Amino acid sequence: MTPVGIDAVEIWTGKLQLDLPETFAPAKDEDPDKYRKGIGLEHSSFPDTYEDIVTMGANAAKRLLERKGLTPSDIGRIDVATESAFDNSKPVSTYIAGCLEQYYDEDFRHANKGERKFACVAGTQSVDDAYNWIRAGRNRGRAALVIATDTALYARGDPGEATQGAGAVAMLIDENPDLVEISTEQGYGSMDETDFLKPNQQFPSVDGKRSMQVYLSRMREAVEDFESVAWDMHPDDFAYIPFHTPFPGMVRKAALLGYRHMSRDTELEDELADELGYQPRQDEYTSWDAYEEAIRDYMDELKDTDQYRAWYDKAIEPTLGISRHVGNWYTGSVHIARIAALKYAAETDRELAGEKLLIGSYGSGAQAEIHAETVQEGWREEIAELNIDAQIDARYDLSYEEYEQVHDRHNHDKTATDLEEFTEPEDEFVFTGWGRMSER
Ligand code: CAA
């Protein structure tokens, strides 16, 4: 079977940054270690006043098409995943296609366009849609452009304010991909939940603590469902496990749960159980509650073992390298985690071709999806093309007062065109007013 997967990626970060331990924590009278050690974020990206989900998505996509030497006739569909849409009818992909068409003699008339919504998991769902379209043989030799673009902003004073972010990831889905082949098998954990929602409102209504529990429950179900169609997994089967990363502290919890699940009924579990004085069999306990308590105690001990720490440092920590400096990008977040891991492998001269990744995507509301990927021969050259470090370093560092202004402006007076800019746009799409988009 011809491999299908992600051929290339490009990232576009919002051009402003908020330093969480140094600027945000003191303004909120909080301990900077809450951010450095607890939540695990150093910075959040913010859009400048001339940026929004359209400009960030179009700028990422333009870089991708230019770099791969593609024109609109090479692209058969454009899917945008976002939970920050501003139009209930016209999909964001049409706005982005309109921007891109300014560059080419051709247009995207022939391309199927759409917008996917299921909170943060919509980015992976769009990749799935593109994969299925190619597998079904409907692509007529064309590739799919998938763009995950979001401004993840919370109301001021909401605990979610600690986990904001803004940026876009553009991905080219094609046959014989250079980056990763996607597995046909998938696992799901899906349930009607109200932990995080935005019913016709700019900022989410969120029950933060509950949202973390729902993330973990759905992720566990997705892993079990994936195992039922794929194989019984062992933690060492995967070079990296990129999870949806609203903030690194959430991934610490997901990784521990994943490790415990993947090592159950194995020699590894027996060894650890012996070492930690725990009985893995439920029938050794007098009640379900006692069993659950024993699992909790076991997990508490497990996370401090050398074995678990070594695995975490190898398979999980490298996935957090970008997220730590940009915050939550909702639909793009798990795709940033994948890129961070591959980038780390390239920087540490690790050979990855043929190795497997396990991707843990999640969207509130709520659904988790698990699938596997196999790294392809061309991965190193593709990753070497990314300029994300330069983009991160070039961001304007906001004072707390400037942050408040930017936050107000993105809440969302789309008719205002005379707003102060913090950075100078350079050869890129900018927001120039409602329904108009142009390039400077
Ligand atoms: N030193 C070290 N650690 C510290 C600390 C200090 N001085 N102060 C606090 N911490 C730790 C806390 O112990 C906590 O860690 P644990 O969870 O391991 O106990 C962590 O830092 C966060 O501290 P708080 O719980 O006190 O933080 P908070 O009340 O401000 O809320 C939050 C944190 C719930 C994540 C909140 O920011 C929020 O609601 N975020 C938005 C919702 C969200 O991201 N949910 C994630 C799951 S849903 C999802 O993934 C979809 C999505 O993208 C939104």
Side-chain angles (χ1 to χ4, degrees):
M1 200 159 57
T2 311
V4 174
I6 305 176
D7 188 48
V9 289
E10 278 293 345
I11 307 184
W12 190 274
T13 177
K15 292 178 141 192
L16 309 178
Q17 73 172 30
L18 179 64
D19 188 318
L20 293 166
E22 296 295 329
T23 305
F24 188 70
K28 296 282 178 183
D29 205 15
E30 288 176 323
D31 183 345
D33 276 352
K34 171 178 167 182
Y35 296 90
R36 293 204 180 100
K37 297 187 178 154
I39 284 177
L41 289 174
E42 291 286 336
H43 303 101
S44 293
S45 285
F46 281 86
D48 206 330
T49 49
Y50 57 84
E51 295 186 291
D52 74 351
I53 52 169
V54 174
T55 65
M56 294 188 297
N59 285 320
K62 177 172 161 259
R63 278 183 61 93
L64 186 68
L65 296 183
E66 273 180 353
R67 177 159 77 69
K68 299 298 280 185
L70 301 175
T71 65
S73 59
D74 299 309
I75 304 295
R77 60 187 285 155
I78 307 178
D79 291 305
V80 168
T82 186
E83 47 187 303
S84 324
F86 50 84
D87 189 321
N88 286 327
S89 174
K90 190 172 138 62
V92 171
S93 51
T94 60
Y95 290 87
I96 291 182
C99 291
L100 296 172
E101 281 168 354
Q102 296 175 26
Y103 280 91
Y104 300 98
D105 295 336
E106 305 159 14
D107 57 35
F108 284 106
R109 223 170 273 244
H110 57 277
N112 185 17
K113 306 180 190 82
E115 187 177 299
R116 250 296 187 172
K117 179 173 69 183
F118 197 147
C120 312
V121 77
T124 297
Q125 289 183 319
S126 298
V127 172
D128 292 341
D129 290 343
Y131 175 94
N132 294 338
W133 170 73
I134 295 172
R135 275 263 168 270
R138 291 177 149 181
N139 60 322
R140 294 189 255 161
R142 288 176 167 140
L145 180 60
V146 169
I147 301 159
T149 180
D150 269 300
T151 50
L153 302 181
Y154 294 78
R156 288 230 290 287
D158 187 291
E161 219 186 337
T163 59
Q164 302 180 106
V169 180
M171 293 171 273
L172 194 69
I173 315 302
D174 206 354
E175 290 168 307
N176 299 310
D178 280 336
L179 206 55
V180 291
E181 176 187 0
I182 296 175
S183 69
T184 42
E185 298 85 6
Q186 296 160 303
Y188 292 102
S190 188
M191 205 164 153
D192 179 14
E193 298 276 7
T194 52
D195 55 312
F196 176 110
L197 50 157
K198 291 166 84 174
N200 293 321
Q201 62 198 46
Q202 158 77 353
F203 296 129
S205 302
V206 56
D207 180 345
K209 300 286 180 209
R210 183 164 154 62
S211 74
M212 294 167 71
Q213 288 311 318
V214 175
Y215 177 126
L216 294 175
S217 301
R218 302 293 83 79
M219 196 61 83
R220 183 179 43 71
E221 292 159 5
V223 170
E224 285 168 359
D225 192 43
F226 179 73
E227 282 185 325
S228 74
V229 290
W231 70 95
D232 273 344
M233 297 179 290
H234 183 277
D236 293 332
D237 288 349
F238 304 99
Y240 299 108
I241 306 188
F243 281 104
H244 167 57
T245 312
F247 54 96
M250 183 72 235
V251 171
R252 273 203 303 273
K253 296 178 200 299
L256 183 62
L257 179 129
Y259 188 87
R260 191 248 151 187
H261 184 87
M262 287 191 270
S263 54
R264 85 205 181 290
D265 298 333
T266 63
E267 271 177 35
L268 174 61
E269 185 185 59
D270 289 343
E271 264 171 45
L272 289 169
D274 261 1
E275 198 181 311
L276 303 173
Y278 152 78
Q279 298 290 341
R281 314 275 162 264
Q282 190 199 325
D283 54 16
E284 303 277 349
Y285 295 87
T286 48
S287 68
W288 178 259
D289 285 352
Y291 176 54
E292 283 208 313
E293 196 182 325
I295 294 176
R296 269 198 301 276
D297 292 347
Y298 169 68
M299 304 254 283
D300 257 1
E301 297 277 326
L302 177 63
K303 74 176 185 322
D304 293 327
T305 59
D306 290 346
Q307 209 156 349
Y308 178 73
R309 292 272 6 135
W311 173 80
Y312 183 91
D313 288 348
K314 186 165 66 90
I316 305 293
E317 185 63 31
T319 68
L320 306 175
I322 299 176
S323 149
R324 218 175 268 299
H325 296 286
V326 301
N328 192 358
W329 286 11
Y330 287 161
T331 53
S333 156
V334 69
H335 305 289
I336 296 176
R338 179 200 294 103
I339 294 165
L342 297 178
K343 184 169 166 294
Y344 176 84
E347 284 163 1
T348 51
D349 261 339
R350 178 167 177 181
E351 187 39 74
L352 270 192
E355 294 215 43
K356 291 217 168 342
L357 311 177
L358 187 71
I359 309 293
S361 305
Y362 174 72
S364 294
Q367 181 160 304
E369 180 197 313
I370 293 284
H371 71 265
E373 297 178 353
T374 308
V375 180
Q376 300 297 288
E377 291 290 340
W379 72 277
R380 196 183 290 278
E381 289 72 29
E382 278 303 319
I383 292 298
E385 294 290 338
L386 297 180
N387 72 345
I388 182 63
D389 288 341
Q391 287 189 43
I392 286 176
D393 290 347
R395 289 176 304 179
Y396 176 88
D397 197 25
L398 293 165
S399 67
Y400 187 75
E401 292 67 33
E402 289 168 336
Y403 155 71
E404 287 189 313
Q405 290 166 28
V406 169
H407 196 276
D408 284 348
R409 283 170 189 180
H410 284 288
N411 182 28
H412 233 337
D413 184 2
K414 289 275 184 189
T415 55
T417 54
D418 57 347
L419 304 173
E420 184 198 337
E421 296 166 357
F422 293 91
T423 59
E424 186 64 34
E426 250 180 76
D427 188 27
E428 66 192 74
F429 295 107
V430 295
F431 178 73
T432 56
W434 187 237
R436 285 176 286 128
M437 199 67 56
S438 66
E439 189 181 17
R440 295 187 200 177

Short mmCIF file of all heavy atoms in Angstrom, two decimals, residues 8-11 63-64 67 179 322 339-340 342-343 381-391:
data_model
loop_
_atom_site.label_atom_id
_atom_site.label_comp_id
_atom_site.label_asym_id
_atom_site.label_seq_id
_atom_site.Cartn_x
_atom_site.Cartn_y
_atom_site.Cartn_z
N ALA A 8 5.15 17.61 4.72
CA ALA A 8 5.89 18.80 5.16
C ALA A 8 5.03 19.63 6.09
O ALA A 8 3.79 19.54 6.05
CB ALA A 8 6.30 19.63 3.95
N VAL A 9 5.69 20.44 6.92
CA VAL A 9 4.96 21.32 7.85
C VAL A 9 5.61 22.70 7.86
O VAL A 9 6.80 22.84 7.54
CB VAL A 9 4.98 20.80 9.31
CG1 VAL A 9 4.13 19.58 9.48
CG2 VAL A 9 6.39 20.55 9.79
N GLU A 10 4.85 23.69 8.23
CA GLU A 10 5.38 25.03 8.52
C GLU A 10 4.61 25.58 9.72
O GLU A 10 3.44 25.28 9.91
CB GLU A 10 5.22 25.97 7.32
CG GLU A 10 6.31 25.84 6.27
CD GLU A 10 7.70 26.29 6.75
OE1 GLU A 10 7.77 26.97 7.79
OE2 GLU A 10 8.68 25.97 6.05
N ILE A 11 5.29 26.40 10.49
CA ILE A 11 4.67 26.99 11.69
C ILE A 11 4.70 28.50 11.58
O ILE A 11 5.66 29.07 11.05
CB ILE A 11 5.48 26.61 12.96
CG1 ILE A 11 5.68 25.10 13.05
CG2 ILE A 11 4.82 27.12 14.20
CD1 ILE A 11 6.39 24.67 14.33
N ARG A 63 4.40 29.94 3.23
CA ARG A 63 5.76 29.42 3.39
C ARG A 63 5.85 27.96 2.93
O ARG A 63 6.79 27.54 2.28
CB ARG A 63 6.18 29.49 4.87
CG ARG A 63 6.68 30.83 5.33
CD ARG A 63 7.14 30.75 6.79
NE ARG A 63 8.24 29.80 6.93
CZ ARG A 63 9.53 30.13 6.89
NH1 ARG A 63 9.87 31.39 6.75
NH2 ARG A 63 10.47 29.22 7.01
N LEU A 64 4.82 27.19 3.30
CA LEU A 64 4.83 25.76 2.96
C LEU A 64 4.79 25.55 1.44
O LEU A 64 5.57 24.78 0.88
CB LEU A 64 3.61 25.09 3.62
CG LEU A 64 3.51 23.58 3.50
CD1 LEU A 64 4.62 22.91 4.31
CD2 LEU A 64 2.16 23.08 4.01
N ARG A 67 8.08 26.79 -0.24
CA ARG A 67 9.22 25.91 0.03
C ARG A 67 9.14 24.61 -0.75
O ARG A 67 10.15 24.09 -1.21
CB ARG A 67 9.28 25.63 1.53
CG ARG A 67 10.37 24.67 1.92
CD ARG A 67 10.71 24.81 3.37
NE ARG A 67 9.75 24.20 4.27
CZ ARG A 67 9.57 22.88 4.37
NH1 ARG A 67 10.25 22.06 3.61
NH2 ARG A 67 8.70 22.40 5.24
N LEU A 179 7.85 13.20 5.73
CA LEU A 179 7.99 13.35 7.19
C LEU A 179 7.53 12.10 7.94
O LEU A 179 8.33 11.39 8.52
CB LEU A 179 7.21 14.58 7.64
CG LEU A 179 7.65 15.29 8.89
CD1 LEU A 179 9.11 15.69 8.80
CD2 LEU A 179 6.78 16.51 9.12
N ILE A 322 8.83 23.26 22.14
CA ILE A 322 8.26 24.47 21.51
C ILE A 322 7.10 24.99 22.37
O ILE A 322 7.02 26.19 22.67
CB ILE A 322 7.78 24.18 20.07
CG1 ILE A 322 8.96 23.73 19.20
CG2 ILE A 322 7.14 25.44 19.46
CD1 ILE A 322 8.58 23.33 17.78
N ILE A 339 6.44 18.18 15.99
CA ILE A 339 7.56 18.91 15.37
C ILE A 339 8.69 19.09 16.38
O ILE A 339 9.87 18.93 16.05
CB ILE A 339 7.09 20.28 14.83
CG1 ILE A 339 6.11 20.07 13.68
CG2 ILE A 339 8.27 21.13 14.37
CD1 ILE A 339 5.32 21.31 13.31
N ALA A 340 8.33 19.42 17.64
CA ALA A 340 9.36 19.63 18.67
C ALA A 340 10.19 18.37 18.84
O ALA A 340 11.42 18.44 18.97
CB ALA A 340 8.70 20.03 19.98
N LEU A 342 10.72 15.89 16.65
CA LEU A 342 11.57 15.63 15.48
C LEU A 342 12.73 16.63 15.45
O LEU A 342 13.87 16.28 15.09
CB LEU A 342 10.75 15.72 14.18
CG LEU A 342 9.61 14.69 14.05
CD1 LEU A 342 8.84 14.90 12.75
CD2 LEU A 342 10.13 13.26 14.13
N LYS A 343 12.46 17.85 15.83
CA LYS A 343 13.50 18.88 15.86
C LYS A 343 14.57 18.50 16.90
O LYS A 343 15.76 18.62 16.64
CB LYS A 343 12.81 20.21 16.24
CG LYS A 343 13.67 21.42 16.25
CD LYS A 343 12.77 22.65 16.37
CE LYS A 343 13.54 23.88 16.73
NZ LYS A 343 14.15 23.88 18.05
N GLU A 381 15.68 16.49 6.52
CA GLU A 381 15.74 17.64 5.60
C GLU A 381 14.51 18.54 5.80
O GLU A 381 14.62 19.76 5.77
CB GLU A 381 15.78 17.16 4.13
CG GLU A 381 17.08 16.50 3.70
CD GLU A 381 17.28 15.10 4.30
OE1 GLU A 381 16.27 14.43 4.58
OE2 GLU A 381 18.45 14.70 4.50
N GLU A 382 13.35 17.91 6.01
CA GLU A 382 12.12 18.70 6.21
C GLU A 382 12.22 19.56 7.48
O GLU A 382 11.91 20.75 7.48
CB GLU A 382 10.91 17.78 6.34
CG GLU A 382 10.37 17.31 5.02
CD GLU A 382 9.99 18.47 4.12
OE1 GLU A 382 9.41 19.46 4.61
OE2 GLU A 382 10.33 18.40 2.92
N ILE A 383 12.68 18.93 8.56
CA ILE A 383 12.75 19.65 9.85
C ILE A 383 13.80 20.76 9.78
O ILE A 383 13.62 21.84 10.37
CB ILE A 383 13.04 18.64 11.00
CG1 ILE A 383 11.82 17.73 11.19
CG2 ILE A 383 13.41 19.34 12.29
CD1 ILE A 383 10.55 18.42 11.60
N ALA A 384 14.88 20.51 9.02
CA ALA A 384 15.95 21.51 8.91
C ALA A 384 15.43 22.80 8.26
O ALA A 384 16.03 23.87 8.43
CB ALA A 384 17.10 20.94 8.09
N GLU A 385 14.33 22.72 7.52
CA GLU A 385 13.79 23.90 6.83
C GLU A 385 13.03 24.84 7.76
O GLU A 385 12.73 25.98 7.41
CB GLU A 385 12.84 23.47 5.70
CG GLU A 385 13.53 22.72 4.56
CD GLU A 385 14.42 23.63 3.74
OE1 GLU A 385 14.21 24.86 3.76
OE2 GLU A 385 15.34 23.11 3.08
N LEU A 386 12.67 24.36 8.95
CA LEU A 386 11.81 25.19 9.82
C LEU A 386 12.60 26.32 10.48
O LEU A 386 13.76 26.12 10.86
CB LEU A 386 11.19 24.32 10.92
CG LEU A 386 10.26 23.21 10.43
CD1 LEU A 386 9.71 22.43 11.61
CD2 LEU A 386 9.13 23.79 9.62
N ASN A 387 11.97 27.47 10.62
CA ASN A 387 12.67 28.60 11.27
C ASN A 387 11.98 29.00 12.58
O ASN A 387 11.97 30.16 12.95
CB ASN A 387 12.73 29.80 10.31
CG ASN A 387 11.37 30.43 10.14
OD1 ASN A 387 10.35 29.84 10.49
ND2 ASN A 387 11.34 31.64 9.60
N ILE A 388 11.42 28.01 13.28
CA ILE A 388 10.61 28.34 14.46
C ILE A 388 11.43 29.01 15.56
O ILE A 388 10.95 29.92 16.23
CB ILE A 388 9.83 27.10 14.98
CG1 ILE A 388 8.94 27.44 16.17
CG2 ILE A 388 10.74 25.94 15.31
CD1 ILE A 388 7.84 28.42 15.89
N ASP A 389 12.72 28.61 15.71
CA ASP A 389 13.53 29.25 16.76
C ASP A 389 13.69 30.74 16.48
O ASP A 389 13.57 31.57 17.38
CB ASP A 389 14.92 28.60 16.85
CG ASP A 389 14.85 27.22 17.46
OD1 ASP A 389 13.83 26.93 18.13
OD2 ASP A 389 15.79 26.42 17.25
N ALA A 390 13.95 31.06 15.21
CA ALA A 390 14.11 32.48 14.83
C ALA A 390 12.81 33.23 15.07
O ALA A 390 12.82 34.36 15.58
CB ALA A 390 14.54 32.57 13.37
N GLN A 391 11.68 32.61 14.73
CA GLN A 391 10.39 33.28 14.95
C GLN A 391 10.16 33.53 16.45
O GLN A 391 9.70 34.60 16.84
CB GLN A 391 9.25 32.41 14.43
CG GLN A 391 9.13 32.34 12.93
CD GLN A 391 7.84 31.64 12.53
OE1 GLN A 391 6.78 31.88 13.10
NE2 GLN A 391 7.91 30.78 11.54
#
